[in-house]
């Protein structure tokens, strides 16, 4: 536990996920507000309780919980704060928390079609499906009390406002305090690893797939002016502007590496993914696929490559 600003305490909680421990933040403003909760596990719950106890607090003292995005390492313990604490997040967190049947079915159907059109073989598709179902078991059962959106001034924490920062997750928001340029960044910005711009299904009926890496880059550029970022994983980011410029440059570099790999071929996203991530794509198929498709979207946006459709399958070629 770590007091990182005069009224902000960072509490690091273990997770069973590959990403490692998560940072939650307690803001001691006019309300006692917890940003993110940690995953739904006994170990995480004990750890969070212990850390609050060291501050002379119980879970029942927390008055507001804000979630930065819908991933299970961030939201898993929300039931612990029911009913005394209000729960706020972007509205796109809601269908995950409520496990909305139609939404989950549409999402599943979207991935099935996407993976099939981009050349992912059936056994890998099944593996991804299994791990997604596994993740769903980490979702808690609770509804949001209200939604937060771009530009909202928090009436329970004066001086703080909401920045929508989609890209890593469609539901992602960050909290910004203008007086000292502090951003509670969730997984939008992490010092030691680049955030994956995870491919997600559209949330509205008939909408196109969001191009998550392009979105992510816009959300990064929105944060170039901040002074300090408190991240969902790892260290405090003391020079976020530099880190953001580095991330943007790395993405450009990676996109052109993909372009080189495409060469004069017509190649599917999945074949390109296997070529680039030959050692890890089997272990992490959905993350490596997202990474590949995101950079293909970027190259398309730059006018460097185009799609060709053959028998319902999508291939990419250089222009
Ligand atoms: Zn996340």
């Amino acid at each position: 536990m770590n007091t990182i600003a005069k009224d902000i305490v960072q509490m690091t909680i273990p997770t069973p996920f590959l990403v490692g421990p998560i940072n939650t933040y307690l803001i001691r403003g006019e309300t006692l507000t917890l940003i993110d909760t940690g995953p739904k596990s006994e170990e995480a719950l004990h750890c969070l309780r212990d850390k609050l106890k060291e501050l002379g607090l119980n879970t029942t003292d927390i008055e507001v919980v804000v979630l930065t995005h819908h991933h299970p390492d961030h939201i898993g313990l929300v039931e612990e704060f029911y009913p005394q604490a209000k729960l706020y997040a972007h509205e796109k967190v809601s269908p995950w928390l409520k496990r909305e049947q139609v939404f989950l079915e549409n999402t599943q159907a979207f991935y099935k079609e996407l993976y099939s059109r981009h050349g992912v073989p059936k056994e890998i598709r099944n593996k991804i499906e299994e791990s997604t179902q596994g993740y769903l078991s980490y979702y808690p059962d609770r509804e949001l009390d209200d939604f937060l959106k771009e530009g909202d001034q928090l009436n329970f924490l004066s001086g703080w406002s909401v920045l929508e920062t989609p890209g890593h997750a469609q539901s992602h928001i960050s909290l910004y305090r203008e007086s000292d340029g502090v951003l509670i960044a969730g997984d939008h910005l992490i010092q030691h690893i680049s955030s994956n711009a995870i491919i997600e299904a559209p949330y509205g009926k008939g909408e196109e797939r969001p191009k998550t890496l392009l979105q992510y880059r816009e959300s990064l550029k929105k944060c170039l002016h901040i002074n300090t970022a408190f991240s969902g994983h790892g260290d405090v980011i003391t020079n976020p502007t530099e880190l953001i410029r580095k991330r943007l440059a790395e993405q450009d570099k990676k996109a052109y590496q993909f372009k080189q790999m495409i060469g004069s071929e017509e190649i599917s996203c999945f074949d390109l993914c296997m070529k680039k991530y030959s050692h890890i794509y089997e272990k992490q198929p959905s993350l490596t696929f997202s990474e590949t498709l995101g950079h293909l979207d970027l190259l398309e946006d730059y006018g460097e490559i185009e799609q060709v459709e053959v028998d319902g399958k999508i291939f990419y070629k250089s222009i």
Side-chain angles (χ1 to χ4, degrees):
M1 197 163 47
N2 194 358
T3 300
I4 46 175
K6 70 177 190 315
D7 54 350
I8 306 174
V9 180
Q10 183 191 59
M11 298 181 290
T12 305
I13 311 284
T15 82
F17 308 116
L18 209 61
V19 68
I22 182 201
N23 296 324
T24 64
Y25 294 92
L26 187 68
I27 305 184
R28 307 180 101 159
E30 61 266 47
T31 57
L32 200 52
T33 299
L34 181 70
I35 317 291
D36 290 333
T37 67
K40 191 179 182 175
S41 78
E42 279 300 307
E43 194 192 5
L45 179 58
H46 284 142
C47 180
L48 182 61
R49 280 189 181 144
D50 286 349
K51 300 214 169 202
L52 288 171
K53 209 170 170 184
E54 282 175 47
L55 298 164
L57 298 167
N58 285 311
T59 50
T60 47
D61 293 317
I62 304 292
E63 298 167 278
V64 177
V65 176
V66 175
L67 303 172
T68 57
H69 63 299
H70 71 270
H71 291 162
D73 47 336
H74 294 256
I75 75 172
L77 292 176
V78 291
E79 287 164 60
E80 291 307 312
F81 303 94
Y82 183 78
Q84 77 285 351
K86 295 280 182 208
L87 181 62
Y88 302 129
H90 191 273
E91 66 174 319
K92 286 179 177 165
V93 170
S94 180
W96 296 99
L97 279 180
K98 289 201 272 184
R99 290 199 193 81
E100 266 175 25
Q101 206 49 35
V102 175
F103 171 76
L104 293 177
E105 281 166 16
N106 287 345
T107 299
Q108 200 177 5
F110 162 83
Y111 281 121
K112 197 172 172 197
E113 196 197 333
L114 180 86
Y115 288 141
S116 148
R117 277 167 70 75
H118 285 282
V120 181
K122 199 154 189 251
E123 62 277 16
I124 301 227
R125 290 198 317 250
N126 291 343
K127 206 173 158 184
I128 296 174
E129 176 62 33
E130 261 171 47
S131 70
T132 309
Q133 292 303 329
Y135 269 122
L136 282 177
S137 69
Y138 283 98
Y139 276 90
D141 201 0
R142 189 175 162 185
E143 293 196 16
L144 295 175
D145 290 295
D146 207 352
F147 302 148
L148 297 177
K149 60 174 193 313
E150 176 74 20
D152 281 354
Q153 303 288 328
L154 301 183
N155 57 17
F156 52 92
L157 273 185
S158 55
W160 290 88
S161 59
V162 176
L163 283 184
E164 287 186 5
T165 44
H168 169 68
Q170 293 304 297
S171 61
H172 206 295
I173 56 164
S174 303
L175 298 185
Y176 178 60
R177 180 162 66 186
E178 201 179 355
S179 61
D180 56 0
V182 160
L183 189 79
I184 308 266
D187 289 357
H188 180 49
L189 202 56
I190 302 174
Q191 180 77 57
H192 62 289
I193 40 169
S194 61
S195 290
N196 191 297
I198 296 168
I199 302 290
E200 279 187 56
Y203 283 64
K205 226 182 163 187
E207 282 176 17
E208 290 273 299
R209 156 176 85 82
K211 294 196 168 168
T212 52
L213 185 64
L214 302 186
Q215 247 183 354
Y216 181 53
R217 290 167 64 82
E218 288 312 307
S219 296
L220 281 178
K221 288 174 197 166
K222 236 166 122 172
C223 296
L224 277 165
H225 63 288
I226 61 172
N227 288 335
T228 312
F230 297 148
S231 178
H233 303 277
D235 296 339
V236 174
I237 303 165
T238 51
N239 195 343
T241 308
E242 194 181 306
L243 185 64
I244 289 169
R245 291 196 200 287
K246 185 174 157 217
R247 291 281 181 260
L248 292 168
E250 284 165 352
Q251 290 155 3
D252 279 332
K253 192 175 162 200
K254 196 183 270 185
Y256 283 95
Q257 285 168 353
F258 276 117
K259 174 150 188 189
Q260 253 187 348
M261 287 181 130
I262 296 172
S264 57
E265 275 186 273
E266 273 184 17
I267 187 165
S268 72
C269 177
F270 184 69
D271 284 341
L272 194 58
C273 174
M274 283 196 297
K275 215 170 164 178
K276 168 95 177 152
Y277 299 107
S278 54
H279 301 298
I280 51 164
Y281 82 90
E282 278 183 287
K283 255 194 188 156
Q284 295 194 43
S286 61
L287 284 185
T288 50
F289 180 86
S290 265
E291 194 70 5
T292 309
L293 189 56
H295 288 83
L296 288 171
D297 286 342
L298 185 57
L299 284 172
E300 254 193 307
D301 188 58
Y302 285 160
E304 295 282 352
I305 60 167
E306 63 182 358
Q307 293 185 21
V308 229
E309 202 170 321
V310 183
D311 298 332
K313 305 272 186 220
I314 296 167
F315 296 86
Y316 291 86
K317 67 171 193 168
S318 291
I319 294 176

